[in-house]
Amino acid sequence: MKQHLVFAILCIVLLQVSCTKKQKAEVEQEAVKRPNIIYVLADDLGIGDVKVFNNNGKIKTPNLDNLAAGGMIFTDAHTSSSVCTPTRYGILTGRYNWRSRLKSGVLTGTSKALIPNSRATVASFLKENGYYTGFIGKWHLGWDWAKTQKDSLLGNGWNPGDYKNIDFSKPIKNGPNDVGFDYAYGHSGSLDMAPYVYVENGMPTTIPDTVTVDKGKYTWWREGPTSPDFVHEDVTPNFFRRSFNFIKEQAKNEKPFFLYLALPSPHTPILPTEEWLGKSGLNPYADFVMEVDGYMGQLQAAIKEAGIEENTIVIFTSDNGCSPQADYKALAAFDHNPSSIYRGHKADIFEGGHRVPFIVKWPEMVKAGSVSGKTICTTDLFATCADIVNAKLTDNEAEDSFSMLPLLTNNGKMFKREAIIHSSINGSFAIRQGDYKLVMAPGSAGWSFPKPNSKDVVSLPEIQLYNLVTDPGEMQNIYKEHPEKVTELKTLLENQILEGRSTPGKAQENDSVANWKQINWISKNK
């Protein structure tokens, strides 16, 4: 009897071991099939600056057009904010930026980390699901510099003397490596924000030995400490070169990889290299756009040469609309508008502030030459990646992210996003659902006419309603003609703000809600 029992137990153990080995083999096989993901984020590139999105555009972008021809373009894609830092927060966390402590504006080169280590990011999520994760480029989400003395203070990052208490000989804390990136190389703020120092895996690569500044119309950057290996004109080429090497090395491994390539261009300082200067025949900004396009061609070549083109997803977009620093007037002389048919530009609540070029190429899954008119947001990356790896999100992950995988695989009816919330540089809100967009502010809420707190907005109504199908240029405020639509959209906006999420799931808390002046319009009984 005992012999039979021992034999039965042995059989069960062997069966369990066999099943475990089989499951492990299936998981490993699944990991091999998972696509590599490369997310390229341009900086201040307008939707009208990429030819495939603007037939009337005068800037030549053959490589981005080629990328689009091999994949899918999204004609109604938006960033979660019309400025840099907030959009980057949304991309990595899948959460609207204004749910964080940053309710308006952007961070600087000295700002403390905005993303807490406890919050899941696309990088940490993919890392947990078998990916090797890399960041190269402009971070602009804050990290904690080492200080010369523990109790010393750093300035706010706007003035030349704000960096004197940074100890560049010691590692930073709470940087990209702490929120999920296996490899990280980049600089802290925008390319016009000091300190001008590369940090690799938490450690400054060299100690600054000089102070630089540029006051040119296009080429300007703020005065600040500069490392000997940090050459402003070479930052964009440097990031691309390192990305090519990253792709080459990771292609040799069975493990899939995620690369977040955050460009500092064509943001100021506008610094096309000698090879590209004058190529556009328009102005230095257009030259800089062409340089980015040229390097995107080299990126595609690097992917192909590495033998991973078929199952590599390449996503190209911008962090907001084009900046007025591009000189809209000079470009208009050549009949080029970086915002295309849309009103406004970077910083604005108008479409020109947050409607951006968005291209996805994935030869194995996405039909070449595809076009989607669905409304998407840059926060949607997180849920898309979760869908790709077939992993579930918890209630406090990617609260404003909707998977785009159904759109990429020609199953659009399964795409769940029904509305999108926009925010401007001063934290003003707008909500878009279907044809209609409701703006909870007068004027641009940004940098274009009519500007906030100016005499031009005094006589304007506090809300704006536009039908973007019949009026894509947002010229006719129809809030009086459609009071029921105003009420409907305002109620939806209130609910999605207060519930801490726009996706289905358990309600979450927004951060730092005290004195949140941008939501004073919300009903007091909520």
Side-chain angles (χ1 to χ4, degrees):
M1 185 70 178
K2 289 183 179 181
Q3 289 178 332
H4 289 296
L5 181 60
V6 170
F7 179 74
I9 293 173
L10 181 60
C11 288
I12 292 173
V13 170
L14 290 172
L15 181 62
Q16 289 177 334
V17 170
S18 175
C19 289
T20 302
K21 286 182 177 180
K22 183 179 179 182
Q23 289 170 351
K24 184 178 180 182
E26 288 175 348
V27 169
E28 290 175 348
Q29 182 64 27
E30 184 181 357
V32 170
K33 292 179 180 178
R34 289 176 178 176
N36 304 304
I37 304 169
I38 301 174
Y39 195 97
V40 184
L41 184 68
D43 196 354
D44 289 6
L45 179 71
I47 188 170
D49 292 326
V50 181
K51 189 72 174 177
V52 72
F53 291 93
N54 179 14
N55 288 331
N56 296 318
K58 299 302 185 291
I59 302 176
K60 296 177 182 178
T61 54
N63 295 293
L64 289 173
D65 297 344
N66 180 62
L67 184 72
M72 176 180 287
I73 65 169
F74 290 81
T75 58
D76 197 4
H78 300 262
T79 54
S80 59
S81 169
S82 55
V83 282
C84 311
T85 297
T87 289
R88 292 159 199 272
Y89 176 91
I91 289 169
L92 291 182
T93 65
R95 187 183 190 226
Y96 283 135
N97 45 273
W98 39 264
R99 298 199 195 279
S100 75
R101 61 175 166 82
L102 187 68
K103 305 303 183 188
S104 63
V106 300
L107 299 185
T108 70
T110 63
S111 299
K112 297 181 76 65
L114 181 60
I115 302 176
N117 296 347
S118 57
R119 176 158 288 280
T121 66
V122 174
S124 65
F125 187 86
L126 287 174
K127 185 176 180 177
E128 289 175 359
N129 283 276
Y131 276 70
Y132 184 83
T133 57
F135 156 73
I136 296 174
K138 166 185 169 178
W139 186 239
H140 211 184
L141 286 164
W143 60 45
D144 301 340
W145 292 101
K147 299 177 183 178
T148 53
Q149 297 177 345
K150 287 185 178 180
D151 58 349
S152 63
L153 299 175
L154 302 183
N156 59 21
W158 299 113
N159 302 303
D162 290 343
Y163 321 100
K164 61 183 180 181
N165 291 326
I166 296 178
D167 187 344
F168 294 104
S169 69
K170 295 179 181 176
I172 66 163
K173 293 181 180 179
N174 302 315
N177 297 105
D178 299 296
V179 291
F181 288 99
D182 292 302
Y183 175 77
Y185 176 93
H187 57 85
S188 56
S190 291
L191 195 52
D192 55 22
M193 295 177 176
Y196 307 114
V197 177
Y198 288 125
V199 172
E200 185 171 27
N201 291 332
M203 190 69 193
T205 57
T206 56
I207 296 174
D209 61 356
T210 188
V211 172
T212 64
V213 64
D214 191 295
K215 297 181 179 180
K217 176 184 176 180
Y218 292 104
T219 59
W220 69 271
W221 68 78
R222 296 172 180 85
E223 181 180 336
T226 307
S227 291
D229 64 343
F230 197 102
V231 179
H232 279 75
E233 291 85 352
D234 188 54
V235 173
T236 291
N238 180 32
F239 287 154
F240 270 108
R241 290 193 302 266
R242 288 176 177 271
S243 296
F244 302 156
N245 290 334
F246 181 94
I247 291 166
K248 180 180 178 181
E249 291 304 311
Q250 294 310 311
K252 298 174 184 176
N253 302 323
E254 290 187 356
K255 200 179 211 183
F257 68 83
F258 167 62
L259 173 61
Y260 171 47
L261 172 55
L263 305 178
S265 44
H267 187 290
T268 52
I270 297 169
L271 295 169
T273 57
E274 186 175 350
E275 177 188 357
W276 293 98
L277 191 60
K279 277 279 182 80
S280 69
L282 306 181
N283 75 348
Y285 170 78
D287 298 338
F288 212 16
V289 172
M290 289 186 66
E291 180 175 340
V292 170
D293 178 79
Y295 275 109
M296 283 302 297
Q298 293 184 41
L299 182 78
Q300 294 179 69
I303 294 167
K304 188 172 184 177
E305 186 178 339
I308 57 172
E309 184 179 21
E310 284 301 306
N311 200 30
T312 293
I313 303 173
V314 178
I315 300 172
F316 179 89
T317 187
S318 177
D319 65 347
N320 43 249
C322 180
S323 168
Q325 295 292 327
D327 198 339
Y328 273 61
K329 187 176 181 180
L331 293 168
F334 295 96
D335 199 26
H336 178 79
N337 184 352
S339 300
S340 187
I341 63 173
Y342 303 105
R343 184 177 180 182
H345 49 57
K346 175 182 179 177
D348 295 347
I349 202 67
F350 295 133
E351 292 292 289
H354 49 78
R355 189 183 286 244
V356 290
F358 200 100
I359 304 170
V360 180
K361 182 180 179 182
W362 184 8
E364 191 165 285
M365 296 295 291
V366 176
K367 183 181 178 182
S370 302
V371 179
S372 174
K374 292 286 188 179
T375 306
I376 64 167
C377 183
T378 45
T379 58
D380 292 337
L381 175 66
F382 201 146
T384 304
C385 290
D387 210 359
I388 287 170
V389 302
N390 195 27
K392 291 185 177 180
L393 295 166
T394 62
D395 278 328
N396 64 345
E397 292 177 338
E399 293 96 322
D400 301 296
S401 188
F402 293 83
S403 174
M404 297 186 300
L405 189 59
L407 300 178
L408 300 176
T409 55
N410 199 29
N411 192 17
K413 291 183 179 179
M414 298 300 292
F415 182 58
K416 301 299 183 182
R417 179 179 285 282
E418 295 182 352
I420 183 173
I421 298 176
H422 309 299
S423 63
S424 69
I425 190 170
N426 73 358
S428 294
F429 286 99
I431 186 167
R432 162 84 180 285
Q433 186 180 48
D435 298 351
Y436 291 92
K437 174 182 174 183
L438 177 70
V439 179
M440 300 304 299
S444 71
W447 294 343
S448 74
F449 175 87
K451 296 180 181 180
N453 304 317
S454 70
K455 63 179 181 180
D456 303 307
V457 300
V458 173
S459 60
L460 294 177
E462 292 294 320
I463 60 173
Q464 304 172 67
L465 181 70
Y466 298 103
N467 183 321
L468 294 181
V469 173
T470 59
D471 180 26
E474 297 173 283
M475 301 305 295
Q476 301 296 323
N477 185 359
I478 56 174
Y479 80 103
K480 286 184 178 179
E481 291 89 333
H482 298 279
E484 74 293 340
K485 181 58 69 174
V486 170
T487 300
E488 177 189 345
L489 291 177
K490 185 179 178 183
T491 300
L492 180 60
L493 178 58
E494 288 183 12
N495 291 339
Q496 292 197 355
I497 290 174
L498 296 177
E499 289 174 5
R501 68 180 320 120
S502 55
T503 55
K506 184 179 178 182
Q508 298 295 306
E509 294 291 329
N510 296 307
D511 305 336
S512 305
V513 296
N515 302 316
W516 191 358
K517 63 181 181 180
Q518 290 90 348
I519 62 169
N520 286 343
W521 50 266
I522 288 183
S523 303
K524 300 301 181 182
N525 62 348
K526 288 285 182 180

